[in-house]
Amino acid sequence: VDCKKQVRLKFFIPLVVVFLLETFLFNFAFWESLTFPEQQQISVSSLNNIVREGNEYRVTDSDTPYIEYAVDGPTEIDNLDIDLVASDSDTVVGETHSLSPYVLDEGNANGYISLGTAHVSENLTESHYIRIHPAGKVTGLRLKLNMQEGDKIVIDSVSINAQRPFSFSFLRFLIMLLVSYLVFCFWTSRDMYQWNLDLKVRRQKILLSIFVFIQIMVLLAVTQLIHPAQYFDSTRELNGGAFIGDENQYNYLANAIINGHTYLDLPVPEWMQKMTNPYDASARAQLSFKTGEPTYWDYAFYDGKYYCYFGALPALSLFVPFKLITGHDLRTDYAVALMTVFFVLAAVFFLYSFMKKYIKPSFGLFLVSLLLLVTGSGVLTQAFYPMIYSLPILFSLVLTLTGLGLWINARKDAGELSKLHLLIGAICIALNLGCRPQFVLVVFVAFPIFWSEIRERFFFSVRGIWNTLAVIVPFLLVGGVTMAYNYVRFDSFFDFGATYNLTGFDMVHRSYALSRIPWGLWMYLFQPINISPNYPFMKQLDVPSGFMGQTIMEPNFGGFFAFVPAALFAFLLYIVRKEAKASGIWGINLFFVGFAAVLLVVDTEIVGISTRYYSEFGWLLIIGAISTVTLYVKKYSSERISNLCLNVFVLLTLVGVFLSYLNLLSDGRYGYLSSSNEALYRVIESWFSFLS
């Protein structure tokens, strides 16, 4: 009984810790302001390159516009309270202004010195208080407006040494609570690391259901962070109006399929049909400006027509039925949200099947491995920017994990193979040809999965003819349909159309160089995160300059192992090779690691460096890491080194989860929050005022 009471009391520790953090750490500015001198309102003494009309200040020249305030003799100033008046009082967070306080103080009596730059947002009271740290008492105060000519700001008043209000943020409290209970529940002292994995046990089933529900809710929320509706309501101008950005490509493909053809019903400028090389982006842009007829971006173009080079399966399975049933277009972000749900379920099915059959871990190790697989597979990136680019990858992840899970479960207790499992598994993996074609190569893992069955003549024999056909026929049928679809579009059975993509570089005439591969492997795997001390704490990486050629690199913030450090355990698989061979996963993991290497090289050479493609190889390395840790922990179960290995694995997993979600705040990534959802971005920024 006493033990149960202790467990119940421990459960409330994260709640108490988070409450104290919210009350004292995140409200440090409130407690500190209680010690400030008496609050004073200060008046404007002069203006520079600014015109004032009442409480409105308009910049007339962007060359050092500032407001100078009257300071009565040497005065101690600890903060400024900028009372902004919002242009739109109905918005949660209005316009954000960049302001820089300059002072004359005891350490700088002969010239104004900058104390830094603050972001002050309308309707966001927490941002109106600027904590400053002058060198002694202040004799002069200026507020520089980092604005352009014609910009306006409405400041009702400015006070010094203002007492900040106490601000209890329920959103911040909830996020911190979620993080703290994540650590609390997954730490290795929990009893679940002593339970043998068996989802027939009720408590394991309940805990897994809670985890899956929370993970799905979080991913669904991530799909809506950038307010994706704005991307589907209309087209966007790109490159100054040279190109058209339109995120409804799958709806256009659905319309084409319904109308009985493969090309998209989009207008093609006459001048582009006459171009010698329409894939030359700069030439295309020049003619767009000259004629006033822009062209579509990231659409395939062949023989005078636009095509969708993305796999057609998402359109066939989601967009066409939705259009036929409702008569309306399906928003792509809704389709992405749906596929994130299916991905979590597929990850549970595959990982449980894999671990239960081959390595038989504890329930706790299974659950933390599931967290690693779901978060580390790059699905956060797909969910955060829920556009057409994400759908084929998510579809392929779901199909691949489901197909492999079915194959792993194909062996019956009696020793026979379930032909239904073989057939549906093969169909799932074959359908990758209609999503992300390179995923179909995972079919070759069938050899290590069924190696013992192949030796027992369950395949490639008269006895095993139906098993063999159940695996092979789906690939022949799906492959045949895909080849016909390719031929109708591009006059080639094996051309999926990516080469004809109208993007920022010519994929038809691009160069290939072996020397590009080391740069790509470094950036994809080992590049450290560019950490910044300033919000949002991560900076975009530069394009590698050592390679003298064209390196296509989308916004990148660090290599795979920087965000998924627990996956590094995949490199240690060799130390448990005997156990891996005995359990039957040595060949499977060798294939996974080798397949990941092939995908890395192909992506580097053909499409460049993109965090979106972490989803192609990341899950393969994660499975290798999970296998290594599980086998190592079991091998040395009675020794302290086993606990050390488990502790390190769990710690690295949690660190990776934290870094992956923190990266969603970063500027420069596709759909970055400071542009697409500035209100949320500035609210989160205000949470860190205690650091100023």
Side-chain angles (χ1 to χ4, degrees):
V1 178
D2 291 338
C3 183
K4 289 183 177 180
K5 286 183 178 179
Q6 289 179 3
V7 171
R8 292 193 189 103
L9 289 174
K10 286 181 179 179
F11 183 78
F12 289 100
I13 291 176
L15 178 62
V16 174
V17 171
V18 169
F19 180 81
L20 292 175
L21 288 174
E22 177 66 29
T23 302
F24 294 102
L25 177 64
F26 286 96
N27 272 285
F28 174 77
F30 160 74
W31 299 106
E32 183 189 34
S33 68
L34 297 178
T35 67
F36 291 170
E38 184 179 354
Q39 179 173 342
Q40 300 178 43
Q41 184 171 317
I42 54 178
S43 59
V44 176
S45 61
S46 65
L47 301 170
N48 185 68
N49 292 331
I50 294 174
V51 171
R52 178 183 182 182
E53 295 180 5
N55 59 358
E56 180 183 274
Y57 298 82
R58 179 171 54 84
V59 175
T60 58
D61 192 325
S62 58
D63 181 21
T64 321
Y66 64 80
I67 307 169
E68 187 166 325
Y69 291 92
V71 177
D72 297 331
T75 304
E76 181 180 342
I77 301 180
D78 291 304
N79 75 358
L80 305 176
D81 176 11
I82 314 296
D83 187 8
L84 289 187
V85 177
S87 54
D88 185 356
S89 59
D90 293 331
T91 58
V92 177
V93 177
E95 188 176 354
T96 298
H97 304 281
S98 176
L99 308 179
S100 299
Y102 282 70
V103 297
L104 291 175
D105 55 25
E106 294 179 48
N108 306 276
N110 296 321
Y112 280 87
I113 183 172
S114 172
L115 298 181
T117 299
H119 295 114
V120 182
S121 303
E122 298 171 358
N123 293 336
L124 185 58
T125 305
E126 290 81 0
S127 71
H128 295 178
Y129 297 87
I130 304 175
R131 179 69 166 98
I132 63 174
H133 302 274
K137 293 186 176 181
V138 174
T139 56
L141 174 64
R142 290 175 178 173
L143 192 63
K144 181 187 174 187
L145 310 184
N146 301 305
M147 301 161 66
Q148 299 301 311
E149 182 179 342
D151 290 347
K152 300 176 182 179
I153 184 172
V154 180
I155 303 176
D156 207 22
S157 64
V158 173
S159 300
I160 60 174
N161 301 322
Q163 181 177 327
R164 289 188 59 136
F166 183 87
S167 176
F168 192 98
S169 170
F170 285 99
L171 178 59
R172 179 172 60 203
F173 181 80
L174 183 62
I175 292 174
M176 286 197 298
L177 202 61
L178 187 62
V179 171
S180 63
Y181 273 110
L182 181 69
V183 176
F184 176 82
C185 293
F186 280 96
W187 199 241
T188 55
S189 60
R190 303 278 78 80
D191 290 341
M192 65 181 183
Y193 290 96
Q194 309 303 320
W195 305 340
N196 292 326
L197 176 62
D198 185 358
L199 292 185
K200 294 178 182 178
V201 178
R202 185 169 178 269
R203 63 182 176 183
Q204 293 188 25
K205 195 179 299 183
I206 292 173
L207 288 175
L208 177 61
S209 299
I210 294 172
F211 171 84
V212 169
F213 175 77
I214 293 174
Q215 184 65 76
I216 286 174
M217 290 299 103
V218 169
L219 287 176
L220 290 178
V222 169
T223 65
Q224 299 303 305
L225 282 179
I226 67 171
H227 293 160
Q230 61 186 305
Y231 295 96
F232 302 103
D233 291 341
S234 60
T235 59
R236 296 176 292 123
E237 289 187 355
L238 302 176
N239 196 29
F243 308 118
I244 301 171
D246 194 323
E247 308 299 342
N248 290 288
Q249 194 166 155
Y250 266 139
N251 281 308
Y252 297 144
L253 179 58
N255 292 337
I257 293 171
I258 292 171
N259 292 330
H261 52 77
T262 60
Y263 61 86
L264 308 182
D265 294 306
L266 296 173
V268 180
E270 185 177 348
W271 58 262
M272 191 164 74
Q273 301 183 44
K274 298 177 180 179
M275 286 185 71
T276 304
N277 181 18
Y279 309 105
D280 184 335
S282 59
R284 207 165 65 246
Q286 291 175 12
L287 286 170
S288 292
F289 288 130
K290 182 178 179 179
T291 62
E293 297 178 284
T295 59
Y296 282 85
W297 179 266
D298 261 351
Y299 283 63
F301 179 74
Y302 183 79
D303 198 23
K305 293 183 175 65
Y306 287 116
Y307 292 89
C308 176
Y309 70 89
F310 296 99
L313 184 61
L316 285 167
S317 59
L318 295 179
F319 290 81
V320 169
F322 189 86
K323 187 67 176 282
L324 291 175
I325 294 171
T326 68
H328 300 288
D329 288 340
L330 172 64
R331 266 178 37 186
T332 306
D333 62 307
Y334 290 165
V336 170
L338 177 64
M339 293 313 298
T340 60
V341 175
F342 287 157
F343 167 75
V344 174
L345 299 178
V348 172
F349 173 62
F350 164 76
L351 192 62
Y352 179 72
S353 302
F354 178 83
M355 298 185 82
K356 183 69 174 175
K357 178 175 181 178
Y358 295 113
I359 50 183
K360 299 175 175 60
S362 67
F363 175 74
L365 193 47
F366 163 72
L367 207 59
V368 76
S369 298
L370 182 59
L371 176 66
L372 175 63
L373 180 60
V374 170
T375 308
S377 295
V379 174
L380 270 182
T381 298
Q382 316 299 343
F384 180 80
Y385 193 63
M387 307 301 166
I388 190 172
Y389 311 98
S390 301
L391 266 182
I393 295 176
L394 285 172
F395 258 80
S396 278
L397 281 171
V398 171
L399 290 169
T400 301
L401 294 179
T402 303
L404 291 177
L406 287 167
W407 278 358
I408 290 170
N409 287 304
R411 187 74 180 247
K412 297 178 181 178
D413 293 336
E416 292 294 322
L417 289 168
S418 166
K419 296 176 181 58
L420 187 61
H421 279 71
L422 294 175
L423 179 64
I424 299 177
I427 291 172
C428 287
I429 294 174
L431 285 174
N432 279 307
L433 290 170
C435 308
R436 194 77 177 160
Q438 50 266 53
F439 274 81
V440 80
L441 295 178
V442 83
V443 63
F444 293 108
V445 81
F447 288 97
I449 287 178
F450 297 119
W451 185 246
S452 62
E453 286 81 4
I454 292 172
R455 294 179 63 182
E456 294 172 33
R457 310 295 291 170
F458 282 104
F459 291 98
F460 309 113
S461 65
V462 175
R463 172 192 176 191
I465 185 64
W466 292 111
N467 293 333
T468 307
L469 290 175
V471 173
I472 293 177
V473 169
F475 288 91
L476 296 177
L477 293 176
V478 175
V481 172
T482 303
M483 291 168 66
Y485 179 62
N486 289 341
Y487 189 82
V488 169
R489 296 184 301 162
F490 306 117
D491 301 313
S492 170
F493 292 115
F494 302 102
D495 196 332
F496 288 84
T499 303
Y500 305 116
N501 182 24
L502 298 175
T503 186
F505 62 100
D506 187 343
M507 293 189 67
V508 176
H509 303 97
R510 69 160 303 164
S511 65
Y512 298 94
L514 293 178
S515 56
R516 182 187 283 115
I517 295 174
W519 293 103
L521 293 179
W522 171 262
M523 295 298 294
Y524 265 124
L525 294 178
F526 303 108
Q527 172 63 49
I529 300 171
N530 188 359
I531 297 292
S532 168
N534 301 315
Y535 179 84
F537 310 118
M538 292 184 190
K539 287 187 177 181
Q540 189 173 335
L541 300 171
D542 296 327
V543 176
S545 60
F547 174 72
M548 295 294 102
Q550 190 177 27
T551 302
I552 306 304
M553 188 168 111
E554 295 183 356
N556 192 285
F557 298 88
F560 174 73
F561 291 124
F563 287 103
V564 195
L568 286 166
F569 277 98
F571 290 118
L572 302 178
L573 183 63
Y574 186 76
I575 66 176
V576 289
R577 62 192 180 282
K578 292 181 180 179
E579 292 75 18
K581 290 177 181 178
S583 63
I585 61 167
W586 177 247
I588 296 173
N589 277 289
L590 284 183
F591 172 84
F592 280 169
V593 173
F595 187 31
V598 170
L599 291 174
L600 280 164
V601 171
V602 171
D603 284 341
T604 297
E605 282 288 7
I606 296 179
V607 295
I609 300 165
S610 171
T611 54
R612 288 186 288 118
Y613 302 142
Y614 290 3
S615 295
E616 294 186 352
F617 63 83
W619 67 278
L620 297 163
L621 297 176
I622 287 171
I623 297 303
I626 291 170
S627 301
T628 300
V629 171
T630 305
L631 293 174
Y632 194 84
V633 168
K634 293 180 68 176
K635 180 178 181 180
Y636 299 99
S637 58
S638 61
E639 301 180 28
R640 295 179 62 183
I641 194 171
S642 172
N643 289 331
L644 176 62
C645 177
L646 181 59
N647 284 330
V648 172
F649 179 69
V650 173
L651 178 61
L652 291 180
T653 297
L654 295 176
V655 168
V657 171
F658 173 76
L659 292 174
S660 297
Y661 277 94
L662 182 64
N663 184 233
L664 299 183
L665 299 174
S666 299
D667 292 329
R669 63 182 300 136
Y670 289 143
Y672 57 100
L673 280 180
S674 60
S675 173
S676 60
N677 190 351
E678 189 178 15
L680 178 61
Y681 181 86
R682 295 302 175 189
V683 166
I684 296 175
E685 181 181 34
S686 71
W687 292 351
F688 298 96
S689 61
F690 69 92
L691 296 174
S692 62

